[in-house]
Amino acid sequence: ACRYWWWAAAALKPYSKTPLHKLDERVRALLQLGAYWLMGVTDMPAYAAVQQTVELARRERLPKHLCGYINACLLYTSD
């Protein structure tokens, strides 16, 4: 599973205005997890991967603007 993290980060790079290495560690981890799910490594549909990742961000009590940022990046990545 670890070999897919690099690919997940590469998939997110064009859709993130902020370089991934400058993001909060939790945001970066959630984006990579969501991208991992979107890559089809699991049987999870794209809408569910995005929704579950945003739900995890809310559970982490991330601010709403960061939850929205995660949602937007993953939605663009899923297209």
Side-chain angles (χ1 to χ4, degrees), residues 31-77:
L31 283 170
Q32 288 177 325
L33 177 63
Y36 174 79
W37 284 338
L38 287 171
M39 289 169 43
V41 178
T42 63
D43 292 332
M44 185 180 295
Y47 71 89
V50 174
Q51 193 273 334
Q52 287 295 315
T53 307
V54 173
E55 183 60 32
L56 286 172
R58 289 182 183 135
R59 287 184 189 171
E60 283 291 313
R61 300 188 191 278
L62 291 177
K64 284 187 178 186
H65 73 279
L66 290 178
C67 293
Y69 181 78
I70 291 169
N71 186 53
C73 285
L74 292 177
L75 283 175
Y76 285 120
T77 303

Side-chain angles (χ1 to χ4, degrees), residues 5-48:
W5 292 117
W6 183 84
W7 292 104
L12 288 164
K13 190 175 181 179
Y15 304 108
S16 178
K17 289 182 180 179
T18 306
L20 293 178
H21 69 276
K22 290 187 177 183
L23 291 172
D24 178 91
E25 187 176 304
R26 296 177 299 167
V27 173
R28 185 174 55 244
L30 286 167
L31 283 170
Q32 288 177 325
L33 177 63
Y36 174 79
W37 284 338
L38 287 171
M39 289 169 43
V41 178
T42 63
D43 292 332
M44 185 180 295
Y47 71 89

